[in-house]
Amino acid sequence: MSGDTARRRILFVTATRADFGKLKPLIREVMLRPQFECRIFATGMHMLSRYGSTINEVYRSGFENVYPYVNQDGSINTQMDLVLANTVQGLGHFLREFPQDLVVVHGDRVETLAGAIVGALNNTLVAHIEGGEISGTVDELIRHAVSKLSHLHFVANEDARARLLQMGEMRESIFVVGSPDIDVMLSESLPCADEVKVRYDVPFGEYAILLYHPVTTEVVDLRAKIAAVVSAVERSGRNFVVLYPNNDTGSDVILEAILRLEGHPRFRILPSMRFEYFLSLLKHAQALVGNSSSGVREAPVYGVPSVNIGTRQLNRYRYPSIVDVPEDEAAILSALDDLPHAVPPSFHFGRGQSARLFVTSLQNAQVWSTPRQKQFRDVPGSREAEPVRHVAADAGPREWTAPIVGAGR
C-alpha cells in the first residue's frame, strides 16, 4: 500500500456455499468502511454446475469486484492435489496483477490452503478465519497448515486460541471474534420456514436433514459406510432433505448412493442451498444427520439434535444435543429413535458479533504492521534443556547443554 491514507486492499477467497455464507458478514462489514477496498476471488465448487453454480449467489449478494476462476473440471471425483495446484497458479496470477494488502481465507478447504500459500509466498498478509479447530480426516492437516502460513488469526473461541498458541503463533496476532455464521444465525433476516419450502420444493411438514461428506482417509470403506447410512435413514420412516456432499475424493461414491433415493416420496435431494435458506431449514428441522461440521457448530446454536456419524468430526466440540454413532445402520436407527429433547442453545462459537469484532481489529493500525516474516513463539516453560551430542573437528564426541531460546517471551 502506498501512503498512510491509501485504502487497504482486502481479498476474500471463497470456494463453497458454506465458506461464502460465513465470509459474507465479514465482507459486508468491510465494504461499509471507506478505508478498505474489497475484492472477492470465487472458485472451487462455486464454478460447478453440478453443485448449483453458486457463483450466482455471490453475484446476487450485491458485492462488487467479484473475480471468478475455474480451478477444476466437472468430474465428480476431483483430485485434491491438482485442485490445489490449479488454485495456486490462478490466484498467484491474480495477486501479482492486483496486489493486495490482506488475503482472507476460511477454514480447511484446499482452496483455503492455496490462498495462504499464495499470500505467504508473495509477501502479503494472510488472515485465517476459524483456525485452531480440531477434527477428523484431511481437514485437520489442511487447517493447521493454513494457520502456520497465516499471519493473523480470527478464531471462534478461547479453545482455538489456546491451540494456536501451542502451535507457536504470536499472542498479539490472535483475535477471538466468534464464528461469523453465528451473526447470520441470530439475525432477524433469515427467510421463514414456509419461504424455504416453497423455494426448494420441500413438501414435508416435519423433516430431518442428511448431509454426509467423504472422509478422505477412509475412502476404502466408503461404499459400505454410505450404504449403512442410506439404509438407516430409509428405514427410519422420517422425511429427509438431502444435500449433495462436497467434492472431496470419494464424493462420487456418496452421490451414487443418495441419488438412488431420487423419486422416493420421503426424500427431497438438493445439490445446494443458499446459506441463509439452509440455516432456516436447519432451525426448523427435527435433526441433522451425517458428518458435517454443521452438526457440531450450527445445530447446537438452535438446540437442534444432531446424529454425528463416524470420525469426520473427531475430537470436536461436544454438546448434549449431539449423539455420536459409527457408520452402523442399527446405531443410526437407535439414535434417530431417541433424539435429545429441549436442549438449550449453545454459544460456544460466538454470540453474533464476529463481523464487528473483525473490522474493529482491522482498524487497528498495529495489525497492518504485523511482520510478514513469521517467528515461532515457544510456550513459556514448554522447553527443557536437553543434552545434545556434539562432535568437534579436533576431538571425540562430548555432551553440551543447549540453551533455552526465547524463554520469558
Side-chain angles (χ1 to χ4, degrees):
M1 189 188 73
S2 58
D4 293 336
T5 60
R7 302 170 76 193
R8 301 284 184 182
R9 297 160 299 190
I10 302 176
L11 178 68
F12 290 86
V13 178
T14 175
T16 72
R17 64 198 180 203
D19 72 37
F20 181 64
K22 294 191 175 193
L23 290 173
K24 198 185 302 184
L26 308 183
I27 298 171
R28 284 199 175 119
E29 199 72 19
V30 165
M31 291 184 70
L32 291 174
R33 303 301 193 276
Q35 67 266 48
F36 300 127
E37 178 183 300
C38 181
R39 286 187 170 94
I40 300 171
F41 187 87
T43 186
M45 292 172 66
H46 285 308
M47 308 305 297
L48 300 179
S49 59
R50 185 175 67 257
Y51 292 94
S53 298
T54 53
I55 182 62
N56 294 318
E57 180 181 336
V58 181
Y59 292 137
R60 283 193 295 264
S61 297
F63 297 138
E64 299 177 349
N65 301 322
V66 176
Y67 297 83
Y69 176 71
V70 178
N71 67 349
Q72 59 196 281
D73 58 30
S75 61
I76 293 176
N77 203 21
T78 59
Q79 295 175 292
M80 296 169 69
D81 51 352
L82 296 182
V83 172
L84 173 64
N86 291 339
T87 312
V88 167
Q89 182 179 51
L91 183 56
H93 290 162
F94 177 89
L95 198 64
R96 286 184 286 277
E97 183 68 19
F98 301 99
Q100 303 294 303
D101 297 301
L102 179 68
V103 176
V104 181
V105 296
H106 171 273
D108 50 28
R109 302 291 298 166
V110 291
E111 291 88 356
T112 305
L113 180 57
I117 290 171
V118 170
L121 296 184
N122 283 277
N123 205 32
T124 302
L125 285 177
V126 178
H128 187 201
I129 311 299
E130 291 187 352
E133 308 276 345
I134 52 178
S135 66
T137 193
V138 73
D139 297 352
E140 172 102 352
L141 282 70
I142 293 176
R143 188 184 306 107
H144 296 330
V146 172
S147 290
K148 295 310 299 179
L149 289 161
S150 300
H151 308 87
L152 301 169
H153 311 275
F154 295 90
V155 301
N157 48 45
E158 289 292 339
D159 292 346
R161 178 178 179 272
R163 293 190 193 100
L164 289 179
L165 291 174
Q166 283 183 282
M167 291 170 62
E169 295 304 296
M170 296 191 303
R171 191 175 303 273
E172 55 269 30
S173 73
I174 307 170
F175 304 88
V176 179
V177 301
S179 183
D181 56 329
I182 310 296
D183 294 23
V184 184
M185 295 183 72
L186 301 181
S187 73
E188 298 180 356
S189 59
L190 289 182
C192 68
D194 288 342
E195 185 180 346
V196 175
K197 291 178 181 180
V198 169
R199 182 183 182 95
Y200 290 97
D201 193 22
V202 176
F204 318 125
E206 294 185 332
Y207 58 88
I209 299 171
L210 175 61
L211 187 49
Y212 187 86
H213 299 299
V215 178
T216 57
T217 51
E218 300 174 3
V219 290
V220 173
D221 302 318
L222 183 55
R223 194 172 299 278
K225 289 179 176 181
I226 185 58
V229 172
V230 169
S231 181
V233 296
E234 194 171 13
R235 287 183 55 197
S236 71
R238 294 179 184 270
N239 301 315
F240 275 89
V241 177
V242 185
L243 295 178
Y244 277 23
N246 64 31
N247 62 336
D248 287 347
T249 302
S251 60
D252 57 330
V253 176
I254 296 175
L255 275 171
E256 178 185 326
I258 65 175
L259 287 177
R260 293 196 190 109
L261 297 169
E262 216 160 24
H264 194 297
R266 289 192 291 103
F267 289 84
R268 175 72 174 110
I269 302 173
L270 298 169
S272 180
M273 292 185 74
R274 293 184 65 179
F275 188 63
E276 292 84 354
Y277 285 78
F278 169 75
L279 292 177
S280 183
L281 187 81
L282 174 62
K283 185 176 183 178
H284 297 94
Q286 294 174 316
L288 176 63
V289 181
N291 61 6
S292 167
S293 62
S294 294
V296 297
R297 298 182 66 95
E298 283 83 21
V301 176
Y302 291 140
V304 171
S306 51
V307 179
N308 178 55
I309 303 173
T311 64
R312 191 169 185 267
Q313 303 304 327
L314 189 67
N315 297 324
R316 276 204 159 178
Y317 172 64
R318 287 300 173 261
Y319 195 63
S321 61
I322 304 169
V323 182
D324 296 311
V325 297
E327 281 102 341
D328 175 81
E329 183 176 342
I332 297 168
L333 277 170
S334 177
L336 284 169
D337 287 339
D338 189 24
L339 292 170
H341 294 287
V343 180
S346 166
F347 298 104
H348 181 70
F349 294 100
R351 292 183 173 270
Q353 301 175 327
S354 296
R356 179 180 61 80
L357 293 172
F358 174 73
V359 169
T360 298
S361 300
L362 294 185
Q363 289 175 322
N364 183 343
Q366 291 183 341
V367 163
W368 299 97
S369 300
T370 300
R372 274 64 171 173
Q373 176 60 57
K374 290 183 62 174
Q375 299 293 326
F376 191 96
R377 291 289 179 91
D378 288 307
V379 176
S382 65
R383 299 183 66 195
E384 297 179 358
E386 298 178 357
V388 178
R389 301 290 294 180
H390 175 75
V391 180
D394 57 350
R398 69 178 187 271
E399 289 193 353
W400 66 288
T401 301
I404 298 177
V405 180
R409 279 198 253 175

